[in-house]
Amino acid sequence: PEWQLTHPYPEDRKASIERLNARAPQDTVGVIVSRAPYLRLLDNVVWDADPRQGYFVGSRFVQPTMRFTLTFPDGWATKNEASSVQAMSAERDAAIQLTIAPAPTADSAQRAFVAQQGVQSGTAQRVSANGVASILTSFAAVSQGDTLRGSVAFVEHGGTVFQLLGYGPTAAWAGKQVVVDRALRSFAVLTD
């Protein structure tokens, strides 16, 4: 029966529309809506992703709910997904990824990262940038037969441990490391 359908039968819809049109006041037919007042009605309507889940202002990522910001390198393609924020260099030879680490502290997250099979780490450095303490470690890892080089930082903020990972193939890493490390150190707490 029609009452179980998600949409009425097409011929029934057509008849219903014709009945509604016949009952509509004739003075509304052909009414032109003024553009400016109509657009003012739409001013506060959110059309895209929920900004409370984070948004970009240029290359700067702002996460208002978790109260932090991170600035990616200029010219890199960025993407905010449900479980990560990512950036890719224009040459597609380096990437940065921000995720939540599955560890209770930055120290334990760093130890778990460097303990992964195939990961060789440099010396862990405790750094402070923008008033935020973090652990920064360089690393090399074999992935699908290629050796990747990178830097990983772990930051504790608001009861969460964030993993900031930057990497690229060995051949490109020397030219990307400085901008990647600058991005990893750009993590900052939002203040009111």
Side-chain angles (χ1 to χ4, degrees):
E2 188 172 339
W3 58 267
Q4 287 184 319
L5 299 175
T6 58
H7 291 82
Y9 291 115
E11 55 276 1
D12 292 344
R13 275 189 277 173
K14 181 180 180 209
S16 176
I17 290 169
E18 288 172 349
R19 279 192 310 275
L20 290 171
N21 281 341
R23 289 194 316 231
Q26 293 303 308
D27 61 347
T28 61
V29 176
V31 170
I32 297 173
V33 176
S34 296
R35 179 179 171 81
Y38 177 72
L39 291 177
R40 276 195 299 277
L41 291 173
L42 302 177
D43 274 347
N44 295 316
V45 176
V46 177
W47 292 97
D48 205 348
D50 184 350
R52 293 172 293 192
Q53 300 303 313
Y55 57 90
F56 284 94
V57 177
S59 60
R60 182 176 174 236
F61 177 73
V62 178
Q63 208 323 323
T65 307
M66 300 177 99
R67 314 259 333 126
F68 74 85
T69 182
L70 182 73
T71 303
F72 290 94
D74 288 332
W76 286 39
T78 55
K79 186 181 210 180
N80 181 17
E81 295 188 334
S83 61
S84 68
V85 180
Q86 304 163 16
M88 174 74 70
S89 68
E91 300 80 18
R92 303 183 61 79
D93 60 356
I96 298 172
Q97 182 181 49
L98 166 70
T99 56
I100 295 176
T105 66
D107 287 317
S108 62
Q110 188 272 343
R111 284 193 302 275
F113 181 87
V114 299
Q116 295 177 92
Q117 184 176 356
V119 174
Q120 300 171 346
S121 70
T123 304
Q125 304 170 24
R126 294 194 180 276
V127 296
S128 180
N130 305 309
V132 179
S134 63
I135 300 171
L136 180 67
T137 306
S138 61
F139 68 90
V142 176
S143 174
Q144 300 174 354
D146 293 330
T147 300
L148 298 175
R149 302 270 179 207
S151 297
V152 62
F154 295 95
V155 178
E156 290 180 46
H157 168 62
T160 301
V161 177
F162 295 93
Q163 175 181 290
L164 293 79
L165 176 67
Y167 59 92
T170 300
W173 187 243
K176 300 294 185 193
Q177 184 176 5
V178 171
V179 295
V180 168
D181 284 355
R182 185 179 312 126
L184 301 188
R185 292 172 186 243
S186 72
F187 188 99
V189 175
L190 285 176
T191 56
D192 292 330

